Amino acid sequence: MIQHFVSGKRRGRLELEQPAELMYLCLADAGDTRLPRAMHRHDDRVEIVFIREGSGTHVIDGRAYRTGRGDLLIYNGGVLHDESANPGEGMSVYCCAFTNLKLKGLPKNTLSRGRVRIPTGERHGEFDGLFGLLHAQIRSEHKLSLACCDHLLQALLLMVFSLIDEQDAEEEAARYELGESVKRYIDRHYQDELDLGRLSEALNISPYYLAHRFRQSVGCSPIQYLIRRRIGEAQTLLINTGLSVTDIALLVGYDNPNYFNTAFRKVVGIPPGRYRRQYLE
């Protein structure tokens, strides 16, 4: 037997200004979801849909998502959504609605400002089990069943946020690794003729995605990094060698000395020749 002790350091809480109140929970099978539910919204509630089985297409706030087994879908209050199961397959889903939720920093009845489709992956069974408990309690006539539902709803919200945190951390790691890959490539090839198109082709990534993720990770564009990498190397050569400015320009990737001078002045503030004289004096 292995005992798992609770650590106070791991305790986290939702920053609630007002707790959610459960409105309803339903279990819809493939027959119920066979017909599409066209564009609609609920201004007074949040809905969480959990796809137990099957697949379909969901349009949430104007964006279409291919959805399938294990996906959690979040419909914030007032957000238009459209639901369609794949023909001939249908979906088995739980739908949980609650109202009056107010999280710190978010509008009322807003659960997630960013993610609205959250794959549960290996945690599918956990969510299926929790929705099953909620479903059993809400149908129960026991005098404590609604109190159990309130606590289970709190547990569901905590689990949703833990999943969001996990996936945010994974994406942050992926962004960091992409940024590092691009930096490594530029560091090896800064002397070559490079632009965003050549970088994206070499790394097999779309130019927009590469530029967007690189800026998120590094804080500047790939081309800005390339320029600073070249100018930094040029400064080293100006200080430590007797090479001419033209030769140095060629060595760091500029076949046009005038363009090199302009780039150097923009980064350093003075022309390369003046930089060398000031440094050596």
Side-chain angles (χ1 to χ4, degrees), residues 43-92:
D43 293 328
D44 63 341
R45 72 198 69 167
V46 181
E47 283 187 335
I48 297 178
V49 172
F50 175 65
I51 303 177
R52 302 179 69 233
E53 299 293 344
S55 61
T57 300
H58 290 73
V59 180
I60 307 173
D61 201 19
R63 180 177 175 184
Y65 297 87
R66 298 286 186 183
T67 52
R69 182 180 187 272
D71 282 343
L72 282 169
L73 308 174
I74 297 174
Y75 307 147
N76 292 319
V79 169
L80 286 164
H81 49 282
D82 186 295
E83 305 159 316
S84 299
N86 285 335
E89 183 177 6
M91 291 183 293
S92 173

Side-chain angles (χ1 to χ4, degrees), residues 151-168:
H151 288 286
L152 289 169
L153 176 59
Q154 176 76 358
L156 174 61
L157 297 180
L158 287 167
M159 285 177 61
V160 169
F161 274 98
S162 73
L163 201 58
I164 291 173
D165 284 345
E166 288 174 10
Q167 294 179 10
D168 283 348

Side-chain angles (χ1 to χ4, degrees), residues 125-249:
E126 296 176 35
F127 282 91
D128 195 31
L130 183 53
F131 276 105
L133 284 172
L134 258 171
H135 190 243
Q137 288 298 321
I138 205 168
R139 296 172 63 198
S140 171
E141 296 182 0
H142 192 279
K143 63 181 182 180
L144 294 177
S145 61
L146 293 183
C148 287
C149 286
D150 289 337
H151 288 286
L152 289 169
L153 176 59
Q154 176 76 358
L156 174 61
L157 297 180
L158 287 167
M159 285 177 61
V160 169
F161 274 98
S162 73
L163 201 58
I164 291 173
D165 284 345
E166 288 174 10
Q167 294 179 10
D168 283 348
E170 290 172 1
E171 284 199 0
E172 181 61 32
R175 281 197 296 269
Y176 175 80
E177 180 52 37
L178 174 59
E180 290 300 301
S181 296
V182 176
K183 284 199 296 182
R184 285 194 295 269
Y185 187 87
I186 292 174
D187 289 341
R188 288 196 302 267
H189 299 278
Y190 71 89
Q191 297 166 302
D192 301 337
E193 188 176 347
L194 284 181
D195 55 25
L196 188 59
R198 288 183 174 88
L199 279 172
S200 63
E201 184 177 347
L203 295 165
N204 197 27
I205 306 168
S206 77
Y208 173 80
Y209 184 80
L210 186 151
H212 179 67
R213 292 305 192 193
F214 188 87
R215 184 178 289 277
Q216 283 186 324
S217 174
V218 180
C220 65
S221 74
I223 300 307
Q224 288 171 328
Y225 180 86
L226 170 64
I227 291 170
R228 295 189 69 85
R229 180 69 180 84
R230 286 174 168 175
I231 299 305
E233 189 65 24
Q235 287 177 291
T236 300
L237 292 170
L238 286 165
I239 293 166
N240 296 309
T241 75
L243 294 170
S244 69
V245 171
T246 299
D247 288 340
I248 290 173

Side-chain angles (χ1 to χ4, degrees), residues 238-240 270-281:
L238 286 165
I239 293 166
N240 296 309
I270 57 177
R274 184 177 168 189
Y275 174 81
R276 168 181 268 169
R277 289 193 298 272
Q278 284 191 191
Y279 192 90
L280 294 178
E281 287 174 1

Side-chain angles (χ1 to χ4, degrees), residues 1-16:
M1 179 179 70
I2 300 175
Q3 291 178 300
H4 298 277
F5 290 91
V6 174
S7 169
K9 294 180 180 179
R10 294 170 57 195
R11 291 188 185 276
R13 289 178 173 81
L14 290 177
E15 296 189 43
L16 286 171

